[in-house]
Amino acid sequence: MITVTAPMHRPAGMLQLAHVLAALPGAGLQWRVEEFEGFGPAVGALPAADRERLFDGDHRFASWEALTSFAAGLEQTIWCTLVGARDGRDEITVIAFDSSEWEVRVPDELAGAVRAVLEG
C-alpha cells in the first residue's frame, strides 16, 4: 500500500471527494463510511436513518454509483474515513482531515493515477 496526500485547498479551488473518487477504480468494492462530517444537498437528501448511520460511522453504500452520486452532491467534506473492501480485505482508504488535507491509501499499482489527480 502507498499513501498519497494532498491539500484540499488549491489555487484553482477545493479538491472535493468527488475529484478524489474519480481517480479510483471503485466499482466492485464494498464501500463503508467509518467517519463523516460534511455538508451539501447529498447529505440532506439521505433518509434520516441513513444520515444517522453516515454520521455515526456505520453507513455502507449500496454501489459505487451510489457513493459517487453522494460525493457529487457534497459542498464540503470536513472529516471522512471511507474504506473500499473486497472479500473482507480493505483495499482503498480515503481520509479527509479537518477540511485541510486528503490522504488516500491504495495498492502500489494505483498510486500513479491517484497522484496525478491529487497532486495535479
Side-chain angles (χ1 to χ4, degrees):
M1 293 291 266
I2 291 181
T3 300
V4 180
T5 61
M8 282 189 190
H9 298 276
R10 308 169 129 185
M14 184 173 278
L15 185 64
Q16 300 284 359
L17 178 59
H19 301 130
V20 174
L21 295 179
L24 302 175
L29 296 178
Q30 298 165 349
W31 289 93
R32 71 180 183 275
V33 176
E34 294 182 349
E35 175 183 27
F36 181 85
E37 182 181 344
F39 56 88
V43 175
L46 285 174
D50 285 342
R51 193 168 41 250
E52 287 175 18
R53 283 194 299 274
L54 177 68
F55 289 113
D56 287 343
D58 189 29
H59 183 81
R60 295 183 186 274
F61 285 92
S63 66
W64 176 244
E65 291 76 21
L67 173 57
T68 57
S69 177
F70 171 78
L74 291 174
E75 292 174 11
Q76 186 172 2
T77 302
I78 300 168
W79 295 97
C80 179
T81 302
L82 180 64
V83 179
R86 184 185 331 267
D87 300 324
R89 201 177 98 231
D90 294 352
E91 294 196 11
I92 298 173
T93 303
V94 176
I95 302 171
F97 294 103
D98 197 20
S99 297
S100 63
E101 183 177 69
W102 288 107
E103 178 178 295
V104 182
R105 298 177 194 150
V106 294
D108 297 3
E109 64 271 14
L110 300 178
V114 172
R115 273 196 185 98
V117 170
L118 294 184
E119 297 173 357

